Amino acid sequence: SERTDDPVCGTVSSGGTESILLAMKTYRDWARATKGITAPEIIAPVTAHAAFDKAAQYFGLRLVRTPLDGDYAADVAAVEAAITPNTVAMIGSAPSFPHGVVDPIEALSELARARGIGFHTDGCLGGFLLPWAERLGFPVPAFDFRLPGVTSISADTHKFGYAAKGSSVVLYRTPDLRRYQYYATADWPGGLYFSPTFAGSRPGALSAVCWAAMMSIGEQGYLQAAKRILETTAWLREGVAGIPGLHLIGRSLFIVAFASHEVDVYAVLDALAKKQWNLNGLQNPASLHLCITQRHTQPGVAEAFIADLQAAVEHVRRNPQDKGTMGAVYGLAGSVPVKSLVADFLKTYIDLMYRVD
């Protein structure tokens, strides 16, 4: 039920991508109905999740990507310069997926509020961890509805909420804004049809599992898990920074992102994969990241990672000709001038995944 003194509301979705798509569809329809905007634009830093580009492609939005500042956070001046009369929503990450950096949400959302533009905080990754970090005394910049300019937030329960895969939430400042998310039709011969999200039939079991996870873990459980993750991350970041040839990217509480001016980090990625470490390869700039979870907080795991990372760097330093598999893939992506060719290649890869021989 909705309390009159706290109108914040939302819906459960199937994951972060759906939450983001729902929010962008909402802003498109809200701006069309209340402002008459028929050529909608959204502004997102280059590190904002690819789901915003997906939303732009699906819903006929123009996505304006803006650069970062020296700390890998959104450049506020660049965002302000990108605003036009057609801007329907602005985006900030809390934190960004590549580097784990929280954008300057307060400054960005104030730009949006002053101009009557929607502002979405993408908290898919950090929405169920940053609040506990703040409670524990870690430095967490404001990113939520305490900021008057923030009008929607996405947060993944299936990440640090520890629910089963396939659940997320999208929240709105008011029920009036949420109404633009809904679909309804009154003239179908099959009857009156309406749905709050994209799916018609939705798996209620996942919502039940999500509720059960949150109730069983409880406030103290989340606090303890967050403490272990944040302390382990701090130790790992110090360990990575101490390896010759590597340097950290961004300031993050639970992501260790790093690059190198001396060795091929994609070759390092391949060497670590042989040791059963699963890191994400990043680009622009070439780098890697490890998102710290409770598994990494187990005794000896962090120490083993630093030892294996140091060995991987030394191996690549001694064998610079060994580019590895991922180096070739990212090298291709970086060298092809027309990015649509790379996108076509990725779609062909999906086709191959669906082949039945």
Side-chain angles (χ1 to χ4, degrees), residues 23-24 26-28 30-31 34-35 37 41-43 83 87-92 108-121 148-152 177:
M24 295 304 102
T26 296
Y27 287 118
R28 182 199 67 177
W30 164 76
T34 63
K35 298 183 176 185
I37 295 177
E41 301 175 359
I42 57 176
I43 302 173
I83 297 172
T87 303
V88 301
M90 296 159 54
I91 292 102
L108 293 173
S109 64
E110 273 301 297
L111 290 177
R113 187 187 65 81
R115 292 161 176 80
I117 297 170
F119 187 89
H120 182 80
T121 296
V150 173
T151 51
S152 63
L177 182 57

PDB file of all heavy atoms in Angstrom, residues 23-24 26-28 30-31 34-35 37 41-43 83 87-92 108-121 148-152 177:
ATOM      1  N   ALA A  23      11.910   2.709 -17.229  1.00  0.00           N
ATOM      2  CA  ALA A  23      12.053   4.113 -16.839  1.00  0.00           C
ATOM      3  C   ALA A  23      12.162   5.013 -18.058  1.00  0.00           C
ATOM      4  O   ALA A  23      11.547   6.085 -18.120  1.00  0.00           O
ATOM      5  CB  ALA A  23      13.264   4.289 -15.934  1.00  0.00           C
ATOM      6  N   MET A  24      12.934   4.606 -19.064  1.00  0.00           N
ATOM      7  CA  MET A  24      13.102   5.441 -20.242  1.00  0.00           C
ATOM      8  C   MET A  24      11.808   5.517 -21.053  1.00  0.00           C
ATOM      9  O   MET A  24      11.462   6.572 -21.596  1.00  0.00           O
ATOM     10  CB  MET A  24      14.245   4.907 -21.106  1.00  0.00           C
ATOM     11  CG  MET A  24      15.615   4.981 -20.437  1.00  0.00           C
ATOM     12  SD  MET A  24      16.088   6.640 -19.871  1.00  0.00           S
ATOM     13  CE  MET A  24      15.756   6.520 -18.093  1.00  0.00           C
ATOM     14  N   THR A  26       8.893   5.371 -19.728  1.00  0.00           N
ATOM     15  CA  THR A  26       8.060   6.243 -18.899  1.00  0.00           C
ATOM     16  C   THR A  26       8.347   7.702 -19.186  1.00  0.00           C
ATOM     17  O   THR A  26       7.423   8.516 -19.362  1.00  0.00           O
ATOM     18  CB  THR A  26       8.301   5.933 -17.408  1.00  0.00           C
ATOM     19  OG1 THR A  26       7.878   4.599 -17.143  1.00  0.00           O
ATOM     20  CG2 THR A  26       7.549   6.902 -16.521  1.00  0.00           C
ATOM     21  N   TYR A  27       9.636   8.068 -19.237  1.00  0.00           N
ATOM     22  CA  TYR A  27       9.980   9.469 -19.490  1.00  0.00           C
ATOM     23  C   TYR A  27       9.570   9.905 -20.896  1.00  0.00           C
ATOM     24  O   TYR A  27       9.148  11.045 -21.102  1.00  0.00           O
ATOM     25  CB  TYR A  27      11.475   9.705 -19.268  1.00  0.00           C
ATOM     26  CG  TYR A  27      11.847   9.697 -17.805  1.00  0.00           C
ATOM     27  CD1 TYR A  27      12.736   8.759 -17.294  1.00  0.00           C
ATOM     28  CD2 TYR A  27      11.297  10.634 -16.932  1.00  0.00           C
ATOM     29  CE1 TYR A  27      13.063   8.745 -15.951  1.00  0.00           C
ATOM     30  CE2 TYR A  27      11.627  10.630 -15.581  1.00  0.00           C
ATOM     31  CZ  TYR A  27      12.510   9.678 -15.093  1.00  0.00           C
ATOM     32  OH  TYR A  27      12.818   9.671 -13.764  1.00  0.00           O
ATOM     33  N   ARG A  28       9.704   9.006 -21.862  1.00  0.00           N
ATOM     34  CA  ARG A  28       9.276   9.330 -23.217  1.00  0.00           C
ATOM     35  C   ARG A  28       7.788   9.679 -23.245  1.00  0.00           C
ATOM     36  O   ARG A  28       7.380  10.708 -23.793  1.00  0.00           O
ATOM     37  CB  ARG A  28       9.552   8.155 -24.158  1.00  0.00           C
ATOM     38  CG  ARG A  28       9.186   8.439 -25.610  1.00  0.00           C
ATOM     39  CD  ARG A  28       9.041   7.157 -26.409  1.00  0.00           C
ATOM     40  NE  ARG A  28       7.894   6.356 -25.975  1.00  0.00           N
ATOM     41  CZ  ARG A  28       7.520   5.221 -26.566  1.00  0.00           C
ATOM     42  NH1 ARG A  28       8.222   4.743 -27.583  1.00  0.00           N
ATOM     43  NH2 ARG A  28       6.468   4.557 -26.116  1.00  0.00           N
ATOM     44  N   TRP A  30       5.783  10.381 -20.667  1.00  0.00           N
ATOM     45  CA  TRP A  30       5.496  11.526 -19.793  1.00  0.00           C
ATOM     46  C   TRP A  30       5.769  12.843 -20.519  1.00  0.00           C
ATOM     47  O   TRP A  30       4.940  13.773 -20.483  1.00  0.00           O
ATOM     48  CB  TRP A  30       6.355  11.419 -18.536  1.00  0.00           C
ATOM     49  CG  TRP A  30       6.457  12.682 -17.747  1.00  0.00           C
ATOM     50  CD1 TRP A  30       5.522  13.228 -16.924  1.00  0.00           C
ATOM     51  CD2 TRP A  30       7.590  13.579 -17.709  1.00  0.00           C
ATOM     52  NE1 TRP A  30       5.985  14.405 -16.371  1.00  0.00           N
ATOM     53  CE2 TRP A  30       7.248  14.639 -16.838  1.00  0.00           C
ATOM     54  CE3 TRP A  30       8.842  13.565 -18.326  1.00  0.00           C
ATOM     55  CZ2 TRP A  30       8.134  15.692 -16.581  1.00  0.00           C
ATOM     56  CZ3 TRP A  30       9.718  14.618 -18.077  1.00  0.00           C
ATOM     57  CH2 TRP A  30       9.359  15.661 -17.204  1.00  0.00           C
ATOM     58  N   ALA A  31       6.902  12.937 -21.194  1.00  0.00           N
ATOM     59  CA  ALA A  31       7.267  14.178 -21.880  1.00  0.00           C
ATOM     60  C   ALA A  31       6.349  14.437 -23.068  1.00  0.00           C
ATOM     61  O   ALA A  31       6.018  15.599 -23.361  1.00  0.00           O
ATOM     62  CB  ALA A  31       8.717  14.109 -22.337  1.00  0.00           C
ATOM     63  N   THR A  34       2.924  15.610 -21.348  1.00  0.00           N
ATOM     64  CA  THR A  34       2.920  16.846 -20.553  1.00  0.00           C
ATOM     65  C   THR A  34       3.642  18.006 -21.210  1.00  0.00           C
ATOM     66  O   THR A  34       3.401  19.171 -20.861  1.00  0.00           O
ATOM     67  CB  THR A  34       3.563  16.593 -19.172  1.00  0.00           C
ATOM     68  OG1 THR A  34       4.949  16.224 -19.342  1.00  0.00           O
ATOM     69  CG2 THR A  34       2.828  15.481 -18.431  1.00  0.00           C
ATOM     70  N   LYS A  35       4.539  17.708 -22.164  1.00  0.00           N
ATOM     71  CA  LYS A  35       5.318  18.775 -22.793  1.00  0.00           C
ATOM     72  C   LYS A  35       5.177  18.807 -24.311  1.00  0.00           C
ATOM     73  O   LYS A  35       5.690  19.728 -24.957  1.00  0.00           O
ATOM     74  CB  LYS A  35       6.807  18.621 -22.441  1.00  0.00           C
ATOM     75  CG  LYS A  35       7.129  18.716 -20.961  1.00  0.00           C
ATOM     76  CD  LYS A  35       8.637  18.631 -20.751  1.00  0.00           C
ATOM     77  CE  LYS A  35       9.015  18.831 -19.292  1.00  0.00           C
ATOM     78  NZ  LYS A  35      10.485  18.856 -19.107  1.00  0.00           N
ATOM     79  N   ILE A  37       6.666  16.804 -26.391  1.00  0.00           N
ATOM     80  CA  ILE A  37       7.948  16.476 -27.029  1.00  0.00           C
ATOM     81  C   ILE A  37       7.779  15.229 -27.891  1.00  0.00           C
ATOM     82  O   ILE A  37       7.419  14.161 -27.395  1.00  0.00           O
ATOM     83  CB  ILE A  37       9.047  16.262 -25.977  1.00  0.00           C
ATOM     84  CG1 ILE A  37       9.322  17.570 -25.236  1.00  0.00           C
ATOM     85  CG2 ILE A  37      10.336  15.742 -26.634  1.00  0.00           C
ATOM     86  CD1 ILE A  37      10.347  17.452 -24.106  1.00  0.00           C
ATOM     87  N   GLU A  41      15.020  13.115 -26.277  1.00  0.00           N
ATOM     88  CA  GLU A  41      16.445  12.839 -26.098  1.00  0.00           C
ATOM     89  C   GLU A  41      16.710  12.489 -24.644  1.00  0.00           C
ATOM     90  O   GLU A  41      16.037  12.993 -23.739  1.00  0.00           O
ATOM     91  CB  GLU A  41      17.282  14.066 -26.482  1.00  0.00           C
ATOM     92  CG  GLU A  41      17.098  14.530 -27.908  1.00  0.00           C
ATOM     93  CD  GLU A  41      17.863  15.811 -28.211  1.00  0.00           C
ATOM     94  OE1 GLU A  41      18.524  16.346 -27.285  1.00  0.00           O
ATOM     95  OE2 GLU A  41      17.793  16.292 -29.357  1.00  0.00           O
ATOM     96  N   ILE A  42      17.686  11.610 -24.422  1.00  0.00           N
ATOM     97  CA  ILE A  42      18.157  11.311 -23.079  1.00  0.00           C
ATOM     98  C   ILE A  42      19.663  11.521 -23.043  1.00  0.00           C
ATOM     99  O   ILE A  42      20.351  11.308 -24.050  1.00  0.00           O
ATOM    100  CB  ILE A  42      17.789   9.875 -22.631  1.00  0.00           C
ATOM    101  CG1 ILE A  42      18.349   8.832 -23.604  1.00  0.00           C
ATOM    102  CG2 ILE A  42      16.282   9.723 -22.503  1.00  0.00           C
ATOM    103  CD1 ILE A  42      18.107   7.383 -23.167  1.00  0.00           C
ATOM    104  N   ILE A  43      20.156  11.951 -21.899  1.00  0.00           N
ATOM    105  CA  ILE A  43      21.593  12.229 -21.743  1.00  0.00           C
ATOM    106  C   ILE A  43      22.182  11.245 -20.752  1.00  0.00           C
ATOM    107  O   ILE A  43      21.678  11.109 -19.625  1.00  0.00           O
ATOM    108  CB  ILE A  43      21.819  13.670 -21.253  1.00  0.00           C
ATOM    109  CG1 ILE A  43      21.209  14.681 -22.229  1.00  0.00           C
ATOM    110  CG2 ILE A  43      23.310  13.945 -21.072  1.00  0.00           C
ATOM    111  CD1 ILE A  43      21.254  16.116 -21.711  1.00  0.00           C
ATOM    112  N   ILE A  83      22.145  19.523 -22.764  1.00  0.00           N
ATOM    113  CA  ILE A  83      20.699  19.667 -22.562  1.00  0.00           C
ATOM    114  C   ILE A  83      20.084  20.500 -23.684  1.00  0.00           C
ATOM    115  O   ILE A  83      20.626  21.533 -24.080  1.00  0.00           O
ATOM    116  CB  ILE A  83      20.408  20.322 -21.197  1.00  0.00           C
ATOM    117  CG1 ILE A  83      20.913  19.436 -20.054  1.00  0.00           C
ATOM    118  CG2 ILE A  83      18.915  20.590 -21.027  1.00  0.00           C
ATOM    119  CD1 ILE A  83      20.841  20.089 -18.685  1.00  0.00           C
ATOM    120  N   THR A  87      15.255  17.304 -24.322  1.00  0.00           N
ATOM    121  CA  THR A  87      15.748  16.382 -23.304  1.00  0.00           C
ATOM    122  C   THR A  87      14.610  15.990 -22.370  1.00  0.00           C
ATOM    123  O   THR A  87      13.982  16.851 -21.752  1.00  0.00           O
ATOM    124  CB  THR A  87      16.885  17.021 -22.486  1.00  0.00           C
ATOM    125  OG1 THR A  87      17.934  17.430 -23.372  1.00  0.00           O
ATOM    126  CG2 THR A  87      17.438  16.026 -21.484  1.00  0.00           C
ATOM    127  N   VAL A  88      14.361  14.680 -22.286  1.00  0.00           N
ATOM    128  CA  VAL A  88      13.278  14.198 -21.413  1.00  0.00           C
ATOM    129  C   VAL A  88      13.810  13.559 -20.141  1.00  0.00           C
ATOM    130  O   VAL A  88      13.085  13.462 -19.147  1.00  0.00           O
ATOM    131  CB  VAL A  88      12.364  13.201 -22.160  1.00  0.00           C
ATOM    132  CG1 VAL A  88      11.757  13.852 -23.394  1.00  0.00           C
ATOM    133  CG2 VAL A  88      13.099  11.912 -22.551  1.00  0.00           C
ATOM    134  N   ALA A  89      15.075  13.092 -20.176  1.00  0.00           N
ATOM    135  CA  ALA A  89      15.646  12.446 -18.990  1.00  0.00           C
ATOM    136  C   ALA A  89      17.160  12.538 -19.018  1.00  0.00           C
ATOM    137  O   ALA A  89      17.784  12.547 -20.088  1.00  0.00           O
ATOM    138  CB  ALA A  89      15.213  10.987 -18.895  1.00  0.00           C
ATOM    139  N   MET A  90      17.730  12.605 -17.817  1.00  0.00           N
ATOM    140  CA  MET A  90      19.177  12.564 -17.638  1.00  0.00           C
ATOM    141  C   MET A  90      19.494  11.396 -16.722  1.00  0.00           C
ATOM    142  O   MET A  90      18.668  10.987 -15.904  1.00  0.00           O
ATOM    143  CB  MET A  90      19.670  13.893 -17.050  1.00  0.00           C
ATOM    144  CG  MET A  90      19.437  15.074 -17.985  1.00  0.00           C
ATOM    145  SD  MET A  90      19.436  16.679 -17.157  1.00  0.00           S
ATOM    146  CE  MET A  90      21.001  16.646 -16.301  1.00  0.00           C
ATOM    147  N   ILE A  91      20.713  10.855 -16.855  1.00  0.00           N
ATOM    148  CA  ILE A  91      21.063   9.624 -16.151  1.00  0.00           C
ATOM    149  C   ILE A  91      22.377   9.793 -15.402  1.00  0.00           C
ATOM    150  O   ILE A  91      23.315  10.434 -15.877  1.00  0.00           O
ATOM    151  CB  ILE A  91      21.195   8.447 -17.153  1.00  0.00           C
ATOM    152  CG1 ILE A  91      19.834   8.094 -17.757  1.00  0.00           C
ATOM    153  CG2 ILE A  91      21.796   7.215 -16.481  1.00  0.00           C
ATOM    154  CD1 ILE A  91      19.630   8.619 -19.137  1.00  0.00           C
ATOM    155  N   GLY A  92      22.422   9.210 -14.223  1.00  0.00           N
ATOM    156  CA  GLY A  92      23.667   9.089 -13.475  1.00  0.00           C
ATOM    157  C   GLY A  92      23.738   7.699 -12.876  1.00  0.00           C
ATOM    158  O   GLY A  92      22.707   7.077 -12.595  1.00  0.00           O
ATOM    159  N   LEU A 108      24.077  16.725 -10.920  1.00  0.00           N
ATOM    160  CA  LEU A 108      23.362  16.382 -12.148  1.00  0.00           C
ATOM    161  C   LEU A 108      21.850  16.485 -11.968  1.00  0.00           C
ATOM    162  O   LEU A 108      21.139  17.018 -12.829  1.00  0.00           O
ATOM    163  CB  LEU A 108      23.734  14.961 -12.585  1.00  0.00           C
ATOM    164  CG  LEU A 108      25.180  14.728 -13.034  1.00  0.00           C
ATOM    165  CD1 LEU A 108      25.429  13.249 -13.276  1.00  0.00           C
ATOM    166  CD2 LEU A 108      25.504  15.538 -14.290  1.00  0.00           C
ATOM    167  N   SER A 109      21.360  15.958 -10.854  1.00  0.00           N
ATOM    168  CA  SER A 109      19.910  15.987 -10.636  1.00  0.00           C
ATOM    169  C   SER A 109      19.403  17.403 -10.411  1.00  0.00           C
ATOM    170  O   SER A 109      18.251  17.711 -10.737  1.00  0.00           O
ATOM    171  CB  SER A 109      19.527  15.090  -9.447  1.00  0.00           C
ATOM    172  OG  SER A 109      20.088  15.555  -8.234  1.00  0.00           O
ATOM    173  N   GLU A 110      20.243  18.275  -9.883  1.00  0.00           N
ATOM    174  CA  GLU A 110      19.842  19.668  -9.733  1.00  0.00           C
ATOM    175  C   GLU A 110      19.711  20.348 -11.095  1.00  0.00           C
ATOM    176  O   GLU A 110      18.822  21.189 -11.302  1.00  0.00           O
ATOM    177  CB  GLU A 110      20.835  20.429  -8.858  1.00  0.00           C
ATOM    178  CG  GLU A 110      20.530  20.348  -7.381  1.00  0.00           C
ATOM    179  CD  GLU A 110      19.151  20.893  -7.059  1.00  0.00           C
ATOM    180  OE1 GLU A 110      18.904  22.089  -7.286  1.00  0.00           O
ATOM    181  OE2 GLU A 110      18.298  20.110  -6.586  1.00  0.00           O
ATOM    182  N   LEU A 111      20.602  19.995 -12.030  1.00  0.00           N
ATOM    183  CA  LEU A 111      20.457  20.507 -13.387  1.00  0.00           C
ATOM    184  C   LEU A 111      19.107  20.100 -13.961  1.00  0.00           C
ATOM    185  O   LEU A 111      18.420  20.900 -14.604  1.00  0.00           O
ATOM    186  CB  LEU A 111      21.574  19.963 -14.288  1.00  0.00           C
ATOM    187  CG  LEU A 111      23.001  20.467 -14.059  1.00  0.00           C
ATOM    188  CD1 LEU A 111      23.956  19.755 -15.010  1.00  0.00           C
ATOM    189  CD2 LEU A 111      23.075  21.970 -14.273  1.00  0.00           C
ATOM    190  N   ALA A 112      18.734  18.833 -13.725  1.00  0.00           N
ATOM    191  CA  ALA A 112      17.462  18.327 -14.240  1.00  0.00           C
ATOM    192  C   ALA A 112      16.282  19.005 -13.556  1.00  0.00           C
ATOM    193  O   ALA A 112      15.328  19.443 -14.211  1.00  0.00           O
ATOM    194  CB  ALA A 112      17.395  16.813 -14.045  1.00  0.00           C
ATOM    195  N   ARG A 113      16.343  19.120 -12.230  1.00  0.00           N
ATOM    196  CA  ARG A 113      15.227  19.704 -11.478  1.00  0.00           C
ATOM    197  C   ARG A 113      14.975  21.147 -11.894  1.00  0.00           C
ATOM    198  O   ARG A 113      13.817  21.568 -12.060  1.00  0.00           O
ATOM    199  CB  ARG A 113      15.519  19.640  -9.982  1.00  0.00           C
ATOM    200  CG  ARG A 113      14.346  20.063  -9.104  1.00  0.00           C
ATOM    201  CD  ARG A 113      14.758  20.140  -7.639  1.00  0.00           C
ATOM    202  NE  ARG A 113      15.747  21.189  -7.427  1.00  0.00           N
ATOM    203  CZ  ARG A 113      15.454  22.485  -7.288  1.00  0.00           C
ATOM    204  NH1 ARG A 113      14.190  22.887  -7.345  1.00  0.00           N
ATOM    205  NH2 ARG A 113      16.407  23.378  -7.090  1.00  0.00           N
ATOM    206  N   ALA A 114      16.039  21.906 -12.085  1.00  0.00           N
ATOM    207  CA  ALA A 114      15.893  23.316 -12.441  1.00  0.00           C
ATOM    208  C   ALA A 114      15.231  23.505 -13.798  1.00  0.00           C
ATOM    209  O   ALA A 114      14.644  24.567 -14.068  1.00  0.00           O
ATOM    210  CB  ALA A 114      17.267  23.999 -12.431  1.00  0.00           C
ATOM    211  N   ARG A 115      15.309  22.477 -14.632  1.00  0.00           N
ATOM    212  CA  ARG A 115      14.767  22.585 -15.993  1.00  0.00           C
ATOM    213  C   ARG A 115      13.513  21.736 -16.194  1.00  0.00           C
ATOM    214  O   ARG A 115      13.022  21.608 -17.314  1.00  0.00           O
ATOM    215  CB  ARG A 115      15.842  22.176 -17.003  1.00  0.00           C
ATOM    216  CG  ARG A 115      17.001  23.164 -17.069  1.00  0.00           C
ATOM    217  CD  ARG A 115      18.223  22.541 -17.696  1.00  0.00           C
ATOM    218  NE  ARG A 115      19.307  23.517 -17.841  1.00  0.00           N
ATOM    219  CZ  ARG A 115      20.115  23.879 -16.857  1.00  0.00           C
ATOM    220  NH1 ARG A 115      19.945  23.371 -15.638  1.00  0.00           N
ATOM    221  NH2 ARG A 115      21.078  24.754 -17.067  1.00  0.00           N
ATOM    222  N   GLY A 116      13.030  21.103 -15.132  1.00  0.00           N
ATOM    223  CA  GLY A 116      11.842  20.284 -15.268  1.00  0.00           C
ATOM    224  C   GLY A 116      12.055  19.021 -16.078  1.00  0.00           C
ATOM    225  O   GLY A 116      11.154  18.537 -16.764  1.00  0.00           O
ATOM    226  N   ILE A 117      13.269  18.461 -15.989  1.00  0.00           N
ATOM    227  CA  ILE A 117      13.639  17.249 -16.725  1.00  0.00           C
ATOM    228  C   ILE A 117      13.693  16.075 -15.743  1.00  0.00           C
ATOM    229  O   ILE A 117      14.106  16.239 -14.589  1.00  0.00           O
ATOM    230  CB  ILE A 117      15.011  17.432 -17.413  1.00  0.00           C
ATOM    231  CG1 ILE A 117      14.932  18.551 -18.456  1.00  0.00           C
ATOM    232  CG2 ILE A 117      15.489  16.130 -18.055  1.00  0.00           C
ATOM    233  CD1 ILE A 117      16.295  18.961 -18.996  1.00  0.00           C
ATOM    234  N   GLY A 118      13.310  14.910 -16.181  1.00  0.00           N
ATOM    235  CA  GLY A 118      13.409  13.728 -15.333  1.00  0.00           C
ATOM    236  C   GLY A 118      14.856  13.343 -15.092  1.00  0.00           C
ATOM    237  O   GLY A 118      15.717  13.568 -15.948  1.00  0.00           O
ATOM    238  N   PHE A 119      15.129  12.779 -13.920  1.00  0.00           N
ATOM    239  CA  PHE A 119      16.483  12.294 -13.632  1.00  0.00           C
ATOM    240  C   PHE A 119      16.408  10.881 -13.076  1.00  0.00           C
ATOM    241  O   PHE A 119      15.723  10.621 -12.083  1.00  0.00           O
ATOM    242  CB  PHE A 119      17.233  13.179 -12.639  1.00  0.00           C
ATOM    243  CG  PHE A 119      18.673  12.759 -12.479  1.00  0.00           C
ATOM    244  CD1 PHE A 119      19.645  13.282 -13.315  1.00  0.00           C
ATOM    245  CD2 PHE A 119      19.040  11.804 -11.547  1.00  0.00           C
ATOM    246  CE1 PHE A 119      20.973  12.862 -13.210  1.00  0.00           C
ATOM    247  CE2 PHE A 119      20.356  11.378 -11.439  1.00  0.00           C
ATOM    248  CZ  PHE A 119      21.323  11.907 -12.267  1.00  0.00           C
ATOM    249  N   HIS A 120      17.144   9.963 -13.732  1.00  0.00           N
ATOM    250  CA  HIS A 120      17.156   8.562 -13.321  1.00  0.00           C
ATOM    251  C   HIS A 120      18.513   8.193 -12.737  1.00  0.00           C
ATOM    252  O   HIS A 120      19.547   8.352 -13.393  1.00  0.00           O
ATOM    253  CB  HIS A 120      16.862   7.654 -14.510  1.00  0.00           C
ATOM    254  CG  HIS A 120      16.814   6.202 -14.141  1.00  0.00           C
ATOM    255  ND1 HIS A 120      15.702   5.620 -13.564  1.00  0.00           N
ATOM    256  CD2 HIS A 120      17.754   5.216 -14.233  1.00  0.00           C
ATOM    257  CE1 HIS A 120      15.948   4.332 -13.337  1.00  0.00           C
ATOM    258  NE2 HIS A 120      17.188   4.070 -13.733  1.00  0.00           N
ATOM    259  N   THR A 121      18.510   7.708 -11.507  1.00  0.00           N
ATOM    260  CA  THR A 121      19.714   7.136 -10.909  1.00  0.00           C
ATOM    261  C   THR A 121      19.741   5.646 -11.185  1.00  0.00           C
ATOM    262  O   THR A 121      18.842   4.912 -10.761  1.00  0.00           O
ATOM    263  CB  THR A 121      19.745   7.363  -9.391  1.00  0.00           C
ATOM    264  OG1 THR A 121      19.825   8.762  -9.113  1.00  0.00           O
ATOM    265  CG2 THR A 121      20.959   6.666  -8.771  1.00  0.00           C
ATOM    266  N   PRO A 148      16.130  16.171  -4.252  1.00  0.00           N
ATOM    267  CA  PRO A 148      14.833  16.515  -4.848  1.00  0.00           C
ATOM    268  C   PRO A 148      14.781  16.361  -6.362  1.00  0.00           C
ATOM    269  O   PRO A 148      13.694  16.234  -6.932  1.00  0.00           O
ATOM    270  CB  PRO A 148      14.622  17.975  -4.426  1.00  0.00           C
ATOM    271  CG  PRO A 148      15.992  18.487  -4.110  1.00  0.00           C
ATOM    272  CD  PRO A 148      16.740  17.317  -3.558  1.00  0.00           C
ATOM    273  N   GLY A 149      15.933  16.355  -7.022  1.00  0.00           N
ATOM    274  CA  GLY A 149      15.942  16.225  -8.479  1.00  0.00           C
ATOM    275  C   GLY A 149      15.838  14.805  -8.982  1.00  0.00           C
ATOM    276  O   GLY A 149      15.554  14.583 -10.165  1.00  0.00           O
ATOM    277  N   VAL A 150      16.088  13.829  -8.127  1.00  0.00           N
ATOM    278  CA  VAL A 150      16.007  12.425  -8.539  1.00  0.00           C
ATOM    279  C   VAL A 150      14.543  12.026  -8.637  1.00  0.00           C
ATOM    280  O   VAL A 150      13.800  12.130  -7.657  1.00  0.00           O
ATOM    281  CB  VAL A 150      16.756  11.501  -7.552  1.00  0.00           C
ATOM    282  CG1 VAL A 150      16.517  10.036  -7.906  1.00  0.00           C
ATOM    283  CG2 VAL A 150      18.249  11.821  -7.560  1.00  0.00           C
ATOM    284  N   THR A 151      14.127  11.558  -9.812  1.00  0.00           N
ATOM    285  CA  THR A 151      12.716  11.209 -10.011  1.00  0.00           C
ATOM    286  C   THR A 151      12.497   9.714 -10.217  1.00  0.00           C
ATOM    287  O   THR A 151      11.352   9.254 -10.161  1.00  0.00           O
ATOM    288  CB  THR A 151      12.127  11.991 -11.202  1.00  0.00           C
ATOM    289  OG1 THR A 151      12.991  11.839 -12.345  1.00  0.00           O
ATOM    290  CG2 THR A 151      12.004  13.467 -10.864  1.00  0.00           C
ATOM    291  N   SER A 152      13.569   8.951 -10.446  1.00  0.00           N
ATOM    292  CA  SER A 152      13.434   7.495 -10.538  1.00  0.00           C
ATOM    293  C   SER A 152      14.759   6.829 -10.225  1.00  0.00           C
ATOM    294  O   SER A 152      15.823   7.439 -10.359  1.00  0.00           O
ATOM    295  CB  SER A 152      12.926   7.052 -11.917  1.00  0.00           C
ATOM    296  OG  SER A 152      13.849   7.408 -12.932  1.00  0.00           O
ATOM    297  N   LEU A 177       3.955   9.726 -11.979  1.00  0.00           N
ATOM    298  CA  LEU A 177       4.988   9.425 -12.966  1.00  0.00           C
ATOM    299  C   LEU A 177       4.955   7.949 -13.334  1.00  0.00           C
ATOM    300  O   LEU A 177       5.094   7.587 -14.511  1.00  0.00           O
ATOM    301  CB  LEU A 177       6.366   9.814 -12.418  1.00  0.00           C
ATOM    302  CG  LEU A 177       7.555   9.598 -13.355  1.00  0.00           C
ATOM    303  CD1 LEU A 177       7.376  10.349 -14.671  1.00  0.00           C
ATOM    304  CD2 LEU A 177       8.854  10.018 -12.675  1.00  0.00           C
TER     305      LEU A 177
END
